[in-house]
Amino acid sequence: MHSGRFLFAGFIPSAFILLLLTLLLSPPVYADPESESAANIKQRPKIGLVLSGGGARGFAHIGVLKKIEQLNIPIDVVVGTSMGSIIGGLYAIGLTPDEIEKGVQGIDWTVVFNDYARREFRSFRRKLDDQRFSPKRIGVTSEGLRLSPGLIDGQQIELALDRLAYPGFHITDFDKLRLPYRAIATDIETGDAVILGKGNIAKAMRASMSIPGALPPIKYDGKLLVDGGIGNNVPVNVARNMGADIVIVVDVSAPLASRDDLQSSIGITKQLTAILTRRIADQQLETLSDSDVLIIPGREDLSSSSFMEYDALIQAGLDSAVEATGQLGSLSVSDTDYAKYKSGLPVVVRRQPIIDFIEIDNQTRLDDEILELMIEQKTGAALDVGQLERDLSIIYGLDLSSSVVYDLVERDGKTGLVVYVRDRPWAPSYLQLGLTLRSEFDAGSAANINMIYTNPVINSLGGEFRAGAGIGSEPRLTLTLYQPLDKQRRYFITGSTGFSSYIFPEANTSNEVENIFRFHRTYIGVAAGRIFNRETALQISLFRTTGDTRTLVGQAPTGDTNFDEGGYQLMLMHDSLNNVDFPNSGYQGRLSWRANREDLGADLDYDQVHLSLGVAATWGKNTLFGRTIVESTLDENAPENALFRRGGFFELSGFLNRQLAGQHFGLLEAALYRRLGNITLLPIYAGFTVETGNAWNDRDEIAFDNSVLAGSVFVGADTFLGPLYLAYGINDSNASAFYLYLGRRWAPD
C-alpha cells in the first residue's frame, strides 16, 4: 500500500513538469477567426424542416421557404408528407423557392388531375371516341368486372413530378442530396407510416401523395404505398431521428368541416378521414418544445383542391411566416455564417445526361417496335426532357396503358433511359357506361343508357374489337373491327354493322309537337383510310342500309315507309380542339361527300355534301367558339329518310331537337362562355350563343333574309359522364324551349 502511494505521488510532479516544458518549447498558436466561426456554425442547433400534407394548401410551403431564406435560417434536414414531400423534396434537391414556384406555375393543373392525355397527344381514333363515349372504364377480366384502384391513374402527375425533380434524378440516397430528405408514405396493407430515404425521388414523392381512392397505390421497395397523411401527416419524430434539435413545422392541413358541411355521405367520409389524420398530427405537435416553431398558414377559404389558386396560397404561406418572424428570427445567423453554411452543402450537379442506351419495358400486347418508333430520343445524344414527355404522351394517347413513364438509370458508368409502358391489369378489356339525357321539358324528353365494350389490342398491331348497346328512347347495337395495317399506324381498315333508332318531331307554328316519328336503320359498312397525323385523317367507305319510318304520335301524310340506302362516302376530318365539350383552343372540321347509288342497293341516286368547321380562342377565363355547318343535297332529290335533320340547343336554339328538316341546312354560330371558380376536377361554365341559319328544300330559298335568328343562355359542367347543360333558347320564329342535356350526344351515323 505505501509503495503504491509513493509511486502515484511521484508521478504528479513529473507529469506537471513535462507538460510545462511542452508548453514552453512549443510555438505560440493564435485563434483563426474563420475556424472559430466554422466551429460556431457546427455548434449551432441542428434545424429540421417538417412540411405537412394538405393538397393544394401545400403551396403555402413555398411562401414559408421564401421567408426562411430571407431570414438566413440554415436548414439541415427536410421531411415532408404528401404535398409537403413534393415541396420539401424539391428544396432538398437544391431548387430555390423561386424555382419551385416557377415549376408549380408551369403545370396545367386542369390536365394533371385528368387521366386523359391532352387531346393534342391523343391518337385520331381516340379523338373520335371523345365525341361519343365516357372516359371512365370498368375492367373486364377473366375473374369478372373490376374497377380502377383510383379515380385517375396518375399519368400526368408522374410526368409532372419527373420534370420537377429532374435535377436530382441521379441521386438514389436521399442523404446525399443537398439537404438530407425523407418522404412519408403509408403501407396500405398494414396502416404503418413508411419512411422513404432511398430510390427515385420523384417516385417517392408520388408514393407520398397517393390519396386513397383518388390515385392508385404505388409499389415501392416491395410495399404498396398510399398517401403519407394517413400514417403521419406531421412527421416531427422523423426529423428528430435525423438529428434535428429544433424543428420548424408548417402544418397546412385543412380544417375540420362544420356541421353545416356534414350533410352528405361524401362530406362525412372526408370528415372521418380528416379526424384520423388530425389525431395523429396532434400527437406529433404535442412533442414540440418552446424552441420549436409551428406555422399554420391561413386562407381557410381555400380547400385542398384549390390548385388554381397557387399564387394566393403561396402568399398565405409567406404572410404566416412573416407573422412568425419573432420566433424564426431566433434561428437566423449572420450573412457571413449563412454564406458559409450554403457553401458547405453538397452541390447537386444539374446536368443534362447523354443517353447511352434506351430500353422499353412494354407490358402491353402492342408490338415493341411500334412504341420504339414513337420515341424520338436517340442514343449518344443529350436527353431532351420536353421532347421525351411529348413522346410518352403520344404513346399514352393510344389509350392502351395505365401510364407511360420513364426512369434514368446508371449502369456501369453509362446513363440509360428506361420507358415503362404499363398495362391496365384491372382492365385489359373494358366497359364504358354513360347516361344520355335530353329534355325539352313540356315538349318531351329522351333518355338512353349506353354501354360500350372494347378489347383494345387483339393483335400486336393494335387491332381493336368493339361492341356497343344503347337502351332507352333511342336504342342501338353496334359491332366494329378496326385494324391498323402498318407499324406506324398510318393506314387502317375497319368494318361495322349494327342497328340504330332515333326520333324526331314535327311542330306547328306555335312550336307545339303534333307528330313524332322514328327512324330504324340496320346497316353494314367497310372503310379504309389514311391517318396523316393525330389531327387529320382521310377515309373512304362503302355502306348498305335498310330501314323504315314509323309514326309514334299523330299521322304521317304517307304512312309508315321502308327505305334502302347504299353507296360510298369520302370524308376528310380534322380535329385539334383541346376539349370536345368545352374547348378553348384549336380547330375541328369535316368535309364529306356521300353518294347513294341504285347499283349499290339504294332506292335512288342522290349526292350529299357536308362541311363543318369550328374554332376556339380564349383569353383569361373567357372562350369564344365559332362554328359553321353547310349541308346540301346536290340535286335536291333526297328521300324523307335522308333529309338533313337539325334544330335544338346549339343548332338554332328555341327549336326542338331535329325539328328542322330539308334538302339543305346552314348554320352560323358564336358561343361565348366563361369558366366559373377554380374547381379543378369539375369545371363549371356559363355563357350564351348567337345563331343564325335554317333548313331549306329549295336552293333558291337560301338567303340571310330567309334565315332564323336564334340564341341561348346556359350553364354547363364538364362531368365524367360528359357535358351537363341547363339552357334556355329562343328564336325569331316564335319558338322557345328549355333544355337539359347530360352525356355525349349520340347523333345518328
Side-chain angles (χ1 to χ4, degrees), residues 440 442-444 505-516 553 654-656 659 733-737:
E440 284 125 356
D442 293 340
E506 284 187 352
N508 58 27
T509 56
S510 300
N511 209 39
E512 297 173 340
V513 176
E514 293 185 336
N515 304 301
I516 299 177
V553 176
F655 290 119
L656 307 179
Q659 180 179 338
S733 291
N734 199 33
S736 64

Side-chain angles (χ1 to χ4, degrees), residues 112-113 152 154-162 206 209 215:
V112 163
F113 293 102
I152 61 174
Q155 163 74 10
Q156 309 302 333
I157 292 175
E158 289 201 49
L159 286 182
L161 292 178
D162 282 336
R206 167 69 175 82
M209 64 163 297
L215 290 164

Side-chain angles (χ1 to χ4, degrees), residues 41 72 178 333-345:
I41 289 289
N72 290 353
R178 186 169 172 82
V333 299
S334 68
D335 291 343
T336 301
D337 288 345
Y338 193 65
K340 286 183 169 59
Y341 153 77
K342 288 267 189 174
S343 65
L345 296 176

Side-chain angles (χ1 to χ4, degrees), residues 259-410:
R259 179 179 296 183
D260 293 339
D261 296 325
L262 300 175
Q263 304 299 319
S264 68
S265 59
I266 295 176
I268 293 173
T269 301
K270 289 176 61 178
Q271 184 83 333
L272 290 172
T273 304
I275 291 172
L276 176 63
T277 302
R278 189 71 263 164
R279 285 181 176 176
I280 299 173
D282 287 343
Q283 292 174 3
Q284 292 290 310
L285 294 178
E286 288 173 359
T287 67
L288 298 181
S289 66
D290 293 340
S291 58
D292 299 318
V293 181
L294 173 61
I295 299 174
I296 302 177
R299 297 305 301 265
E300 293 186 0
D301 57 312
L302 298 178
S303 72
S304 57
S305 62
S306 301
F307 286 92
M308 302 299 292
E309 298 290 346
Y310 43 76
D311 287 335
L313 287 163
I314 292 172
Q315 185 62 47
L318 180 59
D319 293 342
S320 64
V322 170
E323 292 176 4
T325 299
Q327 286 182 285
L328 291 172
S330 65
L331 304 178
S332 66
V333 299
S334 68
D335 291 343
T336 301
D337 288 345
Y338 193 65
K340 286 183 169 59
Y341 153 77
K342 288 267 189 174
S343 65
L345 296 176
V347 177
V348 177
V349 180
R350 303 187 189 186
R351 58 190 180 93
Q352 188 176 27
I354 304 298
I355 300 301
D356 298 304
F357 61 91
I358 300 175
E359 294 180 1
I360 296 181
D361 186 349
N362 178 19
Q363 301 175 13
T364 74
R365 288 169 283 178
L366 206 62
D367 191 295
D368 289 354
E369 190 176 346
I370 295 175
L371 304 176
E372 293 169 359
L373 291 170
M374 295 182 176
I375 297 176
E376 295 191 8
Q377 176 69 47
K378 306 298 182 184
T379 57
L383 176 64
D384 186 337
V385 176
Q387 182 60 54
L388 177 60
E389 286 191 6
R390 288 182 60 85
D391 297 340
L392 301 190
S393 296
I394 290 169
I395 295 175
Y396 185 66
L398 298 175
D399 203 18
L400 302 175
S401 54
S402 62
S403 65
V404 184
V405 294
Y406 71 95
D407 195 8
L408 294 169
V409 298
E410 301 283 346

